[in-house]
Amino acid sequence: MRVRIRVMALAISLLGTVLLSGCEPSGTRSSEQQRRDDLVPLVRPLPLVKMAEPMVIEFDVPPRPKHASPALFLGFRVADQSGLRSYEVRDAIRRKSFSTIVRLQSIAAGRPTDIPLYRIEWVGSDSSKPTTAVVGADGVVPRLEPGDVDHGSVNAAGLDGDGSSYRYFEFAWAADISPGRYRLRLQLLDPPTDLSGFQAELMIAYARMGK
């Protein structure tokens, strides 16, 4: 009788484990995924200094989270630092905007394929009419723009840091990105030297819904 009760208890315990695992949020990374540093969303240190050579990063894009935009954000973020709040750091960088070379390729099929990128362009003498422009073949993006990411997937990946209030800048974005393997080439061309003291992190993530 005791053996039978133990078997029933074990079966109930296993059933509960299966049900709980089936209820795990779709945006939550497994422990194996969290150990990968080449899976979007991802961050890298990004010194705001002139680069003699491009930074090259290869990474995997997973299926899009439920509430994220299909666009892939390519940019960086800043947090509170050096006695300044993150919005003050953002404003200081925005006043000294600089140009960048950004190129994205799909490398999943064994042959690199260029991915079209887009950026914000301001039209009109009062610079009050933003429009979408295609990044040219040279990859040059003439200025930074504020942007935002899908915070649900960033949080699920454990990349929210210590609760800092991050502010985001966007170099460019890829529309309707497909899951797969990609290569990013990024080169900061002419950042002012007085920005070199700020700590920034390159951010590659799904964009916030609305992009």
Side-chain angles (χ1 to χ4, degrees):
M1 184 66 177
R2 291 181 180 178
V3 173
R4 188 175 181 182
I5 292 175
R6 289 177 182 175
V7 170
M8 292 178 63
L10 178 59
I12 293 172
S13 176
L14 289 173
L15 177 61
T17 300
V18 170
L19 291 174
L20 285 174
S21 63
C23 296
E24 185 178 342
S26 60
T28 301
R29 283 186 172 185
S30 67
S31 58
E32 180 179 354
Q33 288 177 321
Q34 287 184 341
R35 288 194 295 269
R36 290 186 57 185
D37 64 358
D38 64 341
L39 184 67
V40 167
L42 60 83
V43 295
R44 295 284 190 280
L46 182 67
L48 299 180
V49 297
K50 183 176 181 179
M51 296 179 177
E53 299 290 338
M55 171 189 291
V56 180
I57 298 176
E58 294 187 0
F59 57 90
D60 282 325
V61 173
R64 177 168 65 99
K66 181 178 180 181
H67 298 294
S69 164
L72 186 69
F73 171 98
L74 304 171
F76 68 92
R77 67 183 185 180
V78 293
D80 300 346
Q81 54 189 281
S82 303
L84 299 176
R85 302 296 298 273
S86 60
Y87 71 86
E88 295 174 309
V89 178
R90 175 202 62 196
D91 292 345
I93 294 175
R94 196 173 183 182
R95 287 193 296 267
K96 302 289 183 69
S97 189
F98 53 87
S99 55
T100 311
I101 294 177
V102 186
R103 292 191 177 96
L104 184 67
Q105 293 180 315
S106 170
I107 56 175
R111 185 176 67 178
T113 303
D114 292 336
I115 302 298
L117 296 178
Y118 302 87
R119 63 178 178 84
I120 292 295
E121 184 172 73
W122 296 89
V123 179
S125 58
D126 59 355
S127 297
S128 62
K129 299 178 180 179
T131 186
T132 298
V134 178
V135 176
D138 59 4
V140 174
V141 176
R143 58 180 288 170
L144 302 170
E145 294 295 340
D148 207 354
V149 300
D150 173 56
H151 294 279
S153 55
V154 171
N155 180 64
L159 297 177
D160 269 347
D162 56 0
S164 296
S165 176
Y166 290 106
R167 309 289 169 155
Y168 294 84
F169 284 99
E170 189 169 58
F171 299 120
W173 71 88
D176 298 317
I177 198 73
S178 297
R181 188 76 174 171
Y182 293 85
R183 178 185 295 130
L184 173 69
R185 295 181 183 274
L186 174 71
Q187 186 173 5
L188 308 187
L189 295 179
D190 54 359
T193 55
D194 55 350
L195 296 184
S196 62
F198 289 126
Q199 296 180 10
E201 291 180 310
L202 174 69
M203 185 102 216
I204 304 174
Y206 275 105
R208 180 179 60 83
M209 184 64 78
K211 170 63 71 178

